[in-house]
Amino acid sequence: MKDIKLFRDMRKGWAILAIGLLLSLLAPLAWAQAAVAAPPLVMHKGDVAWMLTSTLLVLMMTVPGLALFYGGLLRSKNVLSMLMQVMTVFSMIVVLWVIYGYTLAFNGGNAFIGNFDKLFLKGITKDSLAATFSAGVGLPEYVFVMFQATFAGITCALIVGALAERVRFRAVLAFTALWFTFAYLPIAHMVWYGPSGFMFARGVLDFAGGTVVHINAGIAGLVGAYMLGPRLGLGRESMKPHSVTFTMIGASLLWVGWFGFNAGSNLEANGGAGLAFINTMVATAAAVLSWLAVEAITKGKPSMVGGASGAVAGLVAITPACGTVGPMGAIAIGALASAACVWGVTGLKKILKADDALDVFGVHGVGGILGAILTGVFSAPILGGTGFGAGITTMAQQVGVQALGVGITLAWSGGVSLLAYFIVKQVFGLRVSAEAEREGLDISSHGESAYEA
Amino acid sequence: MKDIKLFRDMRKGWAILAIGLLLSLLAPLAWAQAAVAAPPLVMHKGDVAWMLTSTLLVLMMTVPGLALFYGGLLRSKNVLSMLMQVMTVFSMIVVLWVIYGYTLAFNGGNAFIGNFDKLFLKGITKDSLAATFSAGVGLPEYVFVMFQATFAGITCALIVGALAERVRFRAVLAFTALWFTFAYLPIAHMVWYGPSGFMFARGVLDFAGGTVVHINAGIAGLVGAYMLGPRLGLGRESMKPHSVTFTMIGASLLWVGWFGFNAGSNLEANGGAGLAFINTMVATAAAVLSWLAVEAITKGKPSMVGGASGAVAGLVAITPACGTVGPMGAIAIGALASAACVWGVTGLKKILKADDALDVFGVHGVGGILGAILTGVFSAPILGGTGFGAGITTMAQQVGVQALGVGITLAWSGGVSLLAYFIVKQVFGLRVSAEAEREGLDISSHGESAYEA
Amino acid sequence: MKDIKLFRDMRKGWAILAIGLLLSLLAPLAWAQAAVAAPPLVMHKGDVAWMLTSTLLVLMMTVPGLALFYGGLLRSKNVLSMLMQVMTVFSMIVVLWVIYGYTLAFNGGNAFIGNFDKLFLKGITKDSLAATFSAGVGLPEYVFVMFQATFAGITCALIVGALAERVRFRAVLAFTALWFTFAYLPIAHMVWYGPSGFMFARGVLDFAGGTVVHINAGIAGLVGAYMLGPRLGLGRESMKPHSVTFTMIGASLLWVGWFGFNAGSNLEANGGAGLAFINTMVATAAAVLSWLAVEAITKGKPSMVGGASGAVAGLVAITPACGTVGPMGAIAIGALASAACVWGVTGLKKILKADDALDVFGVHGVGGILGAILTGVFSAPILGGTGFGAGITTMAQQVGVQALGVGITLAWSGGVSLLAYFIVKQVFGLRVSAEAEREGLDISSHGESAYEA
Amino acid sequence: MKLISCIIRPYKLDEVREALTQVGVSGLTVSEVRGFGRQKGHTELYRGAEYTVDFLPKIKIEAVVPAELLDGALDAILQSARTGSVGDGKIFVSAVEQVIRIRTGDLDADAL
Amino acid sequence: MKLISCIIRPYKLDEVREALTQVGVSGLTVSEVRGFGRQKGHTELYRGAEYTVDFLPKIKIEAVVPAELLDGALDAILQSARTGSVGDGKIFVSAVEQVIRIRTGDLDADAL
Amino acid sequence: MKLISCIIRPYKLDEVREALTQVGVSGLTVSEVRGFGRQKGHTELYRGAEYTVDFLPKIKIEAVVPAELLDGALDAILQSARTGSVGDGKIFVSAVEQVIRIRTGDLDADAL
Ligand SMILES: Nc1ncnc2c1ncn2[C@@H]1O[C@H](COP(=O)(O)OP(=O)(O)O)[C@@H](O)[C@H]1O
Ligand SMILES: Nc1ncnc2c1ncn2[C@@H]1O[C@H](COP(=O)(O)OP(=O)(O)O)[C@@H](O)[C@H]1O
Ligand SMILES: Nc1ncnc2c1ncn2[C@@H]1O[C@H](COP(=O)(O)OP(=O)(O)O)[C@@H](O)[C@H]1O
């Protein structure tokens, strides 16, 4: 849904697409020519203010947000390894992003991947503007580059939750670099790069990244959990969270930061951002209540880990929908997805038999899939939504397209993950030694311990 | 002080008020007619950017801010129950807010309560604008709805500090739902809904919610502390804070987030927000110093719990005043209120004999009352303020009106609280069993423990 | 680099400078006359939104950010003393700032210090505007006053890291008040107050405060470490961090908040802020990777304390540079400075033989100096920068000027520090008693302990 | 001299300490322990995982007393630590051969 | 009665507890301790500072058992706590002169 | 064999450990405890509430040694743990009947 080229270019782009995928390598050329005739973009300072804020909010979601949400759920001997992985993966992806990520995801190319024209951000200056969704409105391109960098960073960081307490540090970095290049960049291009992106062109609705971020990371985590095998002592030893307080802080910062993620994806500070904002708030609130209600009914006691998980489930599910559904639809999505995720981390988990340590698939995968499908439902004007994707007229059609998006993402990301884990396993090995795992990754991999009296 | 109807409506509304309270039910009709003639509102993206930010700041004040400030002060066996209560209450209120809260507080109605015209946010779209304080300037209504939702949410969450370490989880939720409906909504309407709100019409100055938020919650907490009775072992066993570090983090996030609360209440990003901002900063700084000075003098040692409490006391006290006093007045208010709150949590607490566990009344009640009164003093132009409420000319008059506002809030909220606690006590019971209390609410109510080695 | 006077004034100011330093006391007079003819400033709401956000971000950097970054690295018996010092110092400086700091730093005066015209913020109202870097664009002066207040506050708070675990609380406050007055204010005036400031006039580039904040605080900390002497048991007893998790949270919040510091220093929400933003992001990411790589190579294990330190080192180094270098230059600066700081906290630390407990000089001093010098290098257009300081044409010249800035700051701040510590030592004593140090400052100085089961 | 080692409920610590000082016990050492016995634990739930916690938080008090103080001390503990419900804890008594005060080198009874 | 005091690896706790209950030990008390012995520690690095950590996390179990249960209990511990690598820990046995159940005042064997 | 159990000041731990290894003690177990005795505690204040903290953080070292090492070990502790101010702590010595090394099943002196 994101388009950093001019609106006019987009229509020209459509014509080119018609000629077919085989000719797609010529697209950049055509675009370059078209750019000459485009009307000048105007920058609004209010948009800049909001997008700078949104970008730092997504950083805050990652460090410290996600790191704490994950870290608190682990045993204290592994907490630093999680904080390290999240911070280092994010840092690495940011650097890769400005080198080749941005240009491959968001610049020209074909239906599946961009080109290399902006390698090292070539040609971008502080005066460059990127188009927003409103004709004639531009955002400093550096800001757009950074906003998108944080999305790539957090997506890669999400994966590590599934690998927790046993993965080698260098394996995480190597896998992430591969997966970013061959899974994240193409999927982001396919979904968000208009008009040529493969899924974008088919009308897939994904306002802020349900497929690109959550399903994508969820399946990569699940595959990793299978490849690594379960943690030593799983089911026998207690693996209680060492600090539910940290987990709650993390969930709260995810909630707060997610407004940058969702309302920021509007790229402008206007009523559209307001819609994404209210949907994000109410879906999350409903999801918290829903998870707690399910727990209270099925287990007798609502829990803080449940409330925190519910918040994240709701945030995941509303992500693709927040720009196109109404607040009451958002409440429904939050409540339904949260209940589905309770199943994701219990029933489904038992079926899958993978030690997805922090339920990356159970929450991000399940919540993401349900969110994507329900986006197709609740975007219907009759249910308070603002309408379907370009060229789509019925709810059934939209749901079908959404399911296609889900399917492509699961297959592509799953396949790339499998291969990438395999390569990394051959080169470095995926797991630490049993002794190192017993001792805890903090000391064995990083030479530190988190706490001391 | 907040008005989401057009400025022109407001003047028409004044005429209607003159006819008297008995006719007030006709007001909505009159307003609807007036709306036709109103000049169109214009949205400014800079305002949207600031108000989106402000709204998420108030969320951050609540989770994780308030939750940590409170949770850190408790024993470790009860910390999760506090985090749960804060997060769940906030979530529940957000949902109730979009269902019936917003329309009852901020849409038409009479001097005491709004109407049901915007039930389920009926009629609001992403293009709807709500009026700000400047003629012709509008804010996306969804943003205003959300900004106000967070106020309602944090107010209800404040109360639970008084009930800590012994209250039943379901009792908290039931009480909060009742109190929100019958105390928060009417008071918010009376104070902020112009021109018809009962206190608004009388010129009560409450820029960001000293009465609506702090006095309101403070008295509800105090009544609850009486109804519940003291914690087991109070005065005999040690009830030392389990993590002053968390309390300090919470206080800091309250400080940071409060700029959304106070400067956000300006609804626009302009010099008025700048004034609210500087007042909030310097009052808090002065309050920190003042609490520490009092401690250093009276007890010999300034403490971190004191510094954190001082910050909150200053923030509470400057809340009603921040839009109408000058920076030097703000310093005075912060310093005075902080010293008063030291007394609130020591001398007054001994007099009241209630186990208001986290001093909700001692800080929010006392600080709120003093802040409300001092707003009447330091808003005087001669003391650097920007002037009195509409129709008020002398400091004495303003202080009188402020005292009236305080009195109405204490009486109304206190009465509703008493009734609501009583009902909840009959239906669910307010307290957990003695054994559950000894074991700690985390395990007995939520089946979790916060920390594990 | 900051100028709150009109652009036109600036040129008039240059003429005056030419007459020489001896006449500089007449400058305020000249400025006052010039002001009459200045074109009116226009406020943009988007700028206000961004600058309000930036200001609260710098507050968040300090509390809880810096407090946690520092506090986590200490033993648990001293963590509260650190949180206290950071919060209290910040509060005190904010109050001093509005009393006499702002006017002395940013109002008229000569090449070394401002005048007293705005004592107690005299004459500023919510309608006052301060000039930004763009002609004709103004920011509410209250917002500028607050933005700068947070800079002063965090700078003074940085120093305490060097004095940790042994300094008397009142000595910290007394020293800080002196140092703020006689070191911070003059240096800020010299560097940022255009056109008359001594270093500003010579073309020193310091976009967001590398000299004023980091070198300044770094040397003050180092001098303090010498004056205090080493902690009892240093090198014999374990002084392991009591919570690396808190340190990581602190570093993350520093990273997040630093965008307010750096991109906020642009004073407007435009492409210039975007440039500062992207530079801050990529330099930090590169610095994290760089520190970890050095650790992995030299010690075999990359650590979380290392990653957190790397982030801070990168942030420090990019601070002066972020407005004038390109993203690839920023990556280079981040990576180089981070590696230099590894040496700062190991090799150099051994040479200096001072117990700079939290490496204020090793990170802020070394990172700040390298950043200042490299700003001279990478601002060169040929290396992707936007150009040199006013009147400077070659890289060698710019590097020379930068070195001059570094030298003046080291000398001035070092000298003032020496004197101020000496005075405080005579009056209060700098260190607590050996017994109090053994017991921990939390209990001995503040009558509290941080944690309890 | 005898070592009295007793396991009690955490919230009883202050009462027991007072009772012991009353009868002349001049020093004691306390540690946080977890106990397993007749008193049943509880179940904790974290998402899909359910943990049965068999160990409950207890306090262990160790006090070395001269033989003549033993009976009084035992009585004091029994009085102050009892609630009557399962989980009140146990007292163990064993022999100590030698006591030294580190500060002074005082031996045995003098060292207490 | 005998006091069995054993130092084991933390992750063996549940196994040892089960083995002991199997042979009839009805209660025990556990504490977190740090041990120094043949098993080598590790090095930790914090910026410039390097700390050698000689003490490793261990669990201490204390169980008072009637003399007749002693051998069974020792066997149970040996079986369940052994991994065969350095650092498995030790068992110490000493005499207990008196046991009292606080709740009831029951003495000795009855108190266990 | 004898069990030496001593309560010391936390910051003395490393010194005492070194002194003990010097004289041939090959292993020991350490726990964090809180002590009450002649050394006075302090007062803590949290808003309106004042708590008197009578218990001070101490370290307990337990080392089982062959009888012939006992005197040397006691001396080592006395030398290394003493500061001369109140609160230096105590040493308690008691008898151990049996020692087993879990890893090997070695008994008594061989197990140490
Ligand atoms: N045989 C034992 N050896 C050591 N500690 C024991 C033993 N039996 C019980 N304890 C300790 O005493 C505590 C209370 O014992 P429990 O059987 O639960 O209740 P009660 O003492 O009332 O019979 C336990 O939690 C445990 O710490
Ligand atoms: N003499 C001793 N006194 C008390 N505890 C000991 C003694 N020797 C060893 N320990 C405890 O037993 C643990 C394991 O001992 P160690 O020598 O490392 O391995 P192993 O028991 O396999 O020979 C140590 O960490 C320590 O806690
Ligand atoms: N009778 C006792 N039984 C057990 N521990 C004791 C006893 N007396 C003292 N201790 C321990 O020794 C520590 C030091 O004792 P204290 O009386 O304060 O100083 P000193 O040993 O210098 O006389 C106490 O904190 C406590 O842990």
Side-chain angles (χ1 to χ4, degrees), chain D residues 2 7-8 33-38 54-55 60 74 78 81-82 84-86 88-95, chain E residues 13 17 21 26-32 59-60 62 64 95-105 111-112:
Chain D
K2 301 293 177 187
I7 316 292
I8 60 167
V33 298
R34 289 177 294 148
F36 170 82
R38 273 172 195 75
D54 301 308
F55 291 101
K60 180 167 85 172
L74 294 180
L78 283 172
R82 182 177 294 166
S85 340
V86 180
D88 276 354
K90 315 264 191 260
I91 309 177
F92 305 121
V93 180
S94 53
Chain E
L13 174 59
R17 178 184 56 75
T21 26
S26 59
L28 42 86
T29 300
V30 157
S31 33
E32 276 154 28
I59 287 282
K60 180 167 83 172
E62 289 171 303
V64 175
V96 171
E97 303 182 341
Q98 204 177 341
V99 181
I100 314 177
R101 185 197 307 278
I102 294 174
R103 171 163 49 97
T104 55
L112 292 175

Side-chain angles (χ1 to χ4, degrees), chain E residues 7 34-39 56 58 85-90 92, chain F residues 25-29 62-65 101-103 112:
Chain E
I7 315 291
R34 289 178 293 149
F36 171 81
R38 273 172 195 76
Q39 186 185 8
L56 296 167
K58 298 280 171 190
S85 340
V86 180
D88 276 355
K90 313 266 192 260
F92 305 121
Chain F
V25 174
S26 59
L28 42 84
T29 300
E62 290 171 302
V64 175
V65 299
R101 185 196 306 278
I102 294 173
R103 170 163 50 95
L112 291 176

Side-chain angles (χ1 to χ4, degrees), chain C residues 107-119:
Chain C
N107 203 61
N110 55 36
F112 300 101
I113 195 74
N115 62 30
F116 283 106
D117 287 359
K118 292 187 175 168
L119 212 62

Side-chain angles (χ1 to χ4, degrees), chain A residues 46-47 57 76 240-245 252 259 268-269 271 275 277-278 281 285 292 301-305 327-328, chain B residues 45 48-49 52 55-56 59 63-64 80 83-84 88 91 120 126 142 146 150 443-444 446 448-453:
Chain A
D47 294 339
L57 285 170
S76 63
K240 282 169 60 175
H242 88 283
S243 173
V244 179
T245 306
S252 300
F259 292 108
E268 289 173 81
L275 178 63
F277 196 105
I278 192 170
M281 183 71 95
L292 296 181
K301 286 177 184 175
S303 74
M304 185 68 252
V305 170
M328 297 305 137
Chain B
K45 282 178 158 181
V48 181
L52 291 173
T55 306
L56 64 87
L59 170 63
V63 290
L80 295 184
L83 305 185
M84 271 293 271
T88 314
S91 297
F120 292 99
K126 71 178 173 177
Y142 276 147
M146 278 298 99
T150 58
I443 282 172
S444 62
H446 306 295
E448 296 169 305
S449 53
Y451 310 107
E452 182 70 17

Side-chain angles (χ1 to χ4, degrees), chain B residues 47-428:
Chain B
D47 294 339
V48 181
W50 175 237
M51 292 309 296
L52 291 173
T53 303
S54 290
T55 306
L56 64 87
L57 285 170
V58 186
L59 170 63
M60 189 173 81
M61 287 173 69
T62 320
V63 290
L66 180 68
L68 286 176
F69 178 68
Y70 277 177
L73 289 170
L74 300 178
R75 289 169 287 177
S76 62
K77 64 182 178 182
N78 294 313
V79 57
L80 295 184
S81 75
M82 178 52 70
L83 305 185
M84 271 293 271
Q85 288 168 25
V86 170
M87 188 184 257
T88 314
V89 161
F90 185 89
S91 297
M92 183 180 75
I93 297 300
V94 162
V95 172
L96 297 183
W97 183 259
V98 294
I99 294 177
Y100 66 83
Y102 175 66
T103 190
L104 282 179
F106 285 103
N107 203 62
N110 54 39
F112 300 101
I113 195 76
N115 61 31
F116 282 107
D117 287 358
K118 291 188 176 170
L119 213 62
F120 292 99
L121 305 185
K122 191 160 50 106
I124 305 178
T125 74
K126 71 178 173 177
D127 299 319
S128 313
L129 294 180
T132 65
F133 301 118
S134 302
V137 177
L139 192 68
E141 191 166 357
Y142 276 147
V143 177
F144 182 73
V145 172
M146 278 298 99
F147 184 62
Q148 287 299 336
T150 58
F151 274 60
I154 197 171
T155 306
C156 294
L158 279 171
I159 301 170
V160 300
L163 322 175
E165 303 203 304
R166 61 211 194 276
V167 71
R168 298 188 77 142
F169 185 59
R170 73 188 68 179
V172 166
L173 298 186
F175 169 77
T176 308
L178 288 171
W179 185 86
F180 163 73
T181 308
F182 298 103
Y184 185 81
L185 294 178
I187 303 272
H189 185 82
M190 283 189 253
V191 175
W192 283 333
Y193 191 70
S196 63
F198 187 79
M199 296 194 240
F200 186 100
R202 266 144 202 83
V204 171
L205 290 178
D206 186 0
F207 191 76
T211 45
V212 181
V213 174
H214 298 288
I215 303 178
N216 214 356
I219 185 71
L222 183 62
V223 172
Y226 280 119
M227 297 286 290
L228 275 169
R231 286 166 289 174
L232 289 181
L234 182 71
R236 277 206 332 281
E237 293 165 41
S238 163
M239 294 188 174
K240 282 170 59 174
H242 88 283
S243 173
V244 179
T245 307
F246 281 141
T247 293
M248 188 272 183
I249 300 177
S252 300
L253 293 181
L254 283 168
W255 191 351
V256 171
W258 219 291
F259 293 107
F261 202 92
N262 282 3
S265 288
N266 188 62
L267 302 183
E268 288 174 82
N270 58 19
L275 177 62
F277 196 105
I278 193 171
N279 285 336
T280 304
M281 183 72 93
V282 298
T284 310
V288 168
L289 300 176
S290 166
W291 192 299
L292 297 180
V294 173
E295 276 192 345
I297 293 164
T298 61
K299 306 177 178 176
K301 288 178 182 174
S303 73
M304 186 67 254
V305 169
S309 307
V312 175
L315 288 161
V316 167
I318 199 62
T319 296
C322 62
T324 52
V325 305
M328 297 305 137
I331 289 181
I333 291 175
L336 291 171
S338 191
C341 288
V342 179
W343 171 78
V345 306
T346 52
L348 177 65
K349 192 169 188 177
K350 285 202 186 87
I351 297 169
L352 292 176
K353 287 195 170 61
D355 182 15
D356 177 358
L358 300 178
D359 297 307
V360 179
F361 190 76
V363 174
H364 296 272
V366 172
I369 292 169
L370 202 74
I373 304 297
L374 292 179
T375 300
V377 175
F378 287 100
S379 294
I382 201 169
L383 292 172
T386 62
F388 299 121
I392 291 179
T393 49
T394 71
M395 192 192 289
Q397 215 182 335
Q398 184 71 53
V399 168
V401 169
Q402 297 297 103
L404 176 78
V406 169
I408 294 177
T409 307
L410 287 175
W412 186 300
S413 172
V416 169
S417 299
L418 205 65
L419 220 75
Y421 285 118
F422 182 79
I423 293 170
V424 173
K425 190 170 189 171
Q426 301 308 316
V427 180
F428 297 116

